[in-house]
Amino acid sequence: MSGHSKWSTIKHQKGAADAKRGQLFTRLTKEIVIAAKSGGGDPDMNPRLRLAVQQARQNNMPLDNITRAIKRATGQSDDQADLEELVYEGFSPGGAAILVVAVTDNRNRASSEVRNVFDRNNGKMGQVGSVGWMFEQKGVITLQLSDEQTEEAELLAIEHGAEDISDDDATIEVRTTPENFEAVRKALEEAGMAPVSAEVTLVPTTQTGLDERAAEQTLKLLDRLEGLDDVQKVVTNADFPETVLDKYATAA
């Protein structure tokens, strides 16, 4: 597994241990709103909304909160959702590509805060289209399994349409097309292999290797971008050295 995939796994593990549940619920709610606004309020007919609702339930969000968010997005409540999804592009120290996905009710605030973090952490904001072409939408499912389960999981994933599988010790990363994501995820879950994380997200088509100093600076930049209230998700094509990731994984 590359340093990029290992970073993604560490990030999800840290997120699972994150005590800031209020911020987590805010991000989950925003994803539900944007999904419902763009594809309708019926999860059965809207794959993005179905996944957003599933993630919210997995994180113990009350059903009333989920229903209220869908109604806000679809005009069924007095409290209308005035949110928009924005994507910012930029470069890390060392030149790795970064995409920042924000959901905000104030475009100027979001843009200013994202630019500020780039400027103060040795990064650089780019023009629209400067790095977006380096990423594509994929389903990404991460599992932590025993050696006995690994082969079964790989065969099951391939059978249901997985495009690529990589593994490192007990961690497996399965990639699918967005269309096959639900079938692969469901097959694994029904076989008793609950994912550590499962999402349709932007993944890099190429990777940029970083030396240790640039990698450490880039991880700090990514963390600070993800700490912004308007930011939903940050993705990069950085390939991090194992030594830096090991230190990052154990950091508080």
Side-chain angles (χ1 to χ4, degrees):
M1 183 179 288
S2 74
H4 177 272
S5 297
K6 186 172 181 179
W7 166 71
S8 299
T9 301
I10 293 169
K11 184 176 67 169
H12 283 297
Q13 290 170 338
K14 284 192 168 192
D18 194 343
K20 295 185 293 184
R21 183 156 298 275
Q23 186 181 43
L24 174 63
F25 276 10
T26 298
R27 288 181 174 175
L28 291 168
T29 299
K30 285 182 175 181
E31 176 59 20
I32 291 169
V33 168
I34 290 296
K37 284 182 71 173
S38 63
D42 183 356
D44 291 334
M45 303 297 292
N46 182 343
R48 181 175 178 180
L49 178 59
R50 183 165 62 246
L51 179 60
V53 169
Q54 180 188 46
Q55 290 175 332
R57 295 298 290 154
Q58 286 174 346
N59 285 281
N60 301 314
M61 178 181 282
L63 186 58
D64 284 351
N65 293 32
I66 296 171
T67 303
R68 189 160 55 246
I70 294 173
K71 286 182 176 180
R72 285 181 60 211
T74 54
Q76 299 177 59
S77 74
D78 295 334
D79 180 20
Q80 299 300 306
D82 186 24
L83 295 173
E84 61 178 327
E85 187 173 56
L86 305 169
V87 179
Y88 302 100
E89 306 182 35
F91 299 90
S92 82
I98 297 175
L99 286 182
V100 181
V101 181
V103 174
T104 182
D105 60 358
N106 188 322
R107 176 187 289 254
N108 290 337
R109 180 189 65 222
S111 300
S112 174
E113 290 181 347
V114 169
R115 183 177 296 279
N116 233 8
V117 172
F118 269 105
D119 289 346
R120 292 183 177 184
N121 292 276
N122 302 301
K124 181 181 179 183
M125 284 277 281
Q127 299 295 320
V128 174
S130 58
V131 303
W133 58 274
M134 301 182 196
F135 298 83
E136 59 185 358
Q137 287 276 356
K138 292 290 181 183
V140 181
I141 302 167
T142 305
L143 308 103
Q144 289 185 326
L145 303 172
S146 66
D147 290 342
E148 294 75 22
Q149 289 178 303
T150 297
E151 185 176 354
E152 180 186 353
E154 292 177 349
L155 291 173
L156 197 59
I158 292 169
E159 179 184 341
H160 286 82
E163 284 188 332
D164 185 52
I165 300 172
S166 57
D167 64 85
D168 178 24
D169 297 328
T171 301
I172 299 174
E173 183 181 275
V174 178
R175 291 193 180 183
T176 75
T177 62
E179 295 76 21
N180 288 340
F181 168 79
E182 184 69 13
V184 175
R185 182 198 62 76
K186 188 174 180 181
L188 291 166
E189 286 190 348
E190 289 179 349
M193 303 174 192
V196 174
S197 65
E199 60 182 340
V200 176
T201 188
L202 290 160
V203 301
T205 55
T206 61
Q207 294 183 4
T208 300
L210 300 177
D211 62 29
E212 290 198 3
R213 183 169 182 274
E216 289 173 353
Q217 291 178 334
T218 297
L219 288 169
K220 185 181 295 185
L221 168 59
L222 296 172
D223 280 348
R224 289 181 177 171
L225 286 168
E226 288 189 328
L228 295 175
D229 288 342
D230 286 327
V231 170
Q232 287 288 98
K233 183 185 302 183
V234 182
V235 295
T236 181
N237 77 339
D239 193 16
F240 300 100
E242 291 278 336
T243 52
V244 174
L245 287 176
D246 290 340
K247 190 188 306 181
Y248 178 68
T250 57

